[in-house]
Amino acid sequence: MEIEGSFWRAIAVYRFASLGYAALLLASAGGHQRPVAAWLVFGVMTVWTVVTTIAYSTARNRPLLVTDVLVTLGCMLASPYVQGPDAGPAGMMPITATWIGGPVLAWAVYGGRRAGAVAAVVLSLGDLWLRGLNGFDFSVPVNGAVLLILAGTVVGHVARLTKQAEERLQRAVEIEAAGRERERLARGLHDSVLQVLALVQRRGLEIGGEAAELGRLAGEQEAAVREMIRGGPAVDGAGLVDVGALLRRYTTATVTVATPATPLPLPAGQAREVAAAVGAALDNVRWHCGEDARAWVFAENDDVSMTITVRDEGPGIPAGRLSEAEAEGRLGIAQSIRGRIAGLGGTVGFTSVPGQGTEVELTVPGRFTVTA
């Protein structure tokens, strides 16, 4: 992503700037007690700065990040040999100085505030060990360690928030583009397909007989096409499908669908299974109650589950009829409805009173509350 790339470029700038500061420290100290070794360590720091700048621009993975921390620790732990054993207790800054912040920032951008804090703690412990002459001395100032940990935490948090904001912006752009395309298709369909379907419906009802049935079917398809156009994209940027959008496509002149204003997201395969189970329930309504039978589909959700109810006002199901049908090998309800929902870890309940209709309740577990 473009914003994440900006973070990595900023880290590269920081590395080179801190490398320049390390060179000034070396020059001002005259190369310390062992100048050759000091400049050799500085050469390793320079080479590794170039390597990470190039590597992080193309590949960002854990092995590279771990190696980054290890190389930095190695350069840091070489400071007592280069500077002399009295450098740590005297409060002299190690050769790596501010250069040790590079891996911390890299982990923070890569893995968030926790990863940045952990990397900062590891490098801070190494720095405190050096200052305490191979043993931790809590009288040694820890300001640098605290600042390093704060930097890893804050930068990681900001980087994660920025990534999320960019992802949401990208989804908004995709939705807007899909909306414009949908409007364009809607204009074309309104000028052709929808007008023809409306004409067939009107003329069929006027003629009567078999033509009336064709007109009714044309009216249902017109309503379905209009709902499909209005429904919007079903798949979001995270690969989830809005079950509500799939259910609204069942809307016809005889089927009323009511769904929440907020999405009901499920993985694509699960969402299709739920929609197929509802479709099977509506097929049963048409089969047992007639083509003109009215049906209602209601969807609701809470923090733990989604419930879809399919209700009709048909003759109802006699007691024991479902068990008899399953024993006879008629597995429409057992497989098409119960089997699909059970495969998602959900349940199906039937409530039927002879002469008063049937209500099918499908419950699917999951979290459906949309957070800001």
Side-chain angles (χ1 to χ4, degrees), residues 312-345:
D312 65 68
E313 295 181 344
I317 303 175
R321 184 69 189 98
L322 295 179
S323 299
E324 293 176 5
E326 186 172 351
E328 294 170 358
R330 301 172 65 181
L331 304 177
I333 291 179
Q335 293 183 351
S336 298
I337 301 178
R338 280 181 174 155
R340 283 190 167 101
I341 301 303
L344 303 178

Side-chain angles (χ1 to χ4, degrees), residues 19-30:
L19 186 67
Y21 180 60
L24 289 177
L25 289 178
L26 275 177
S28 62

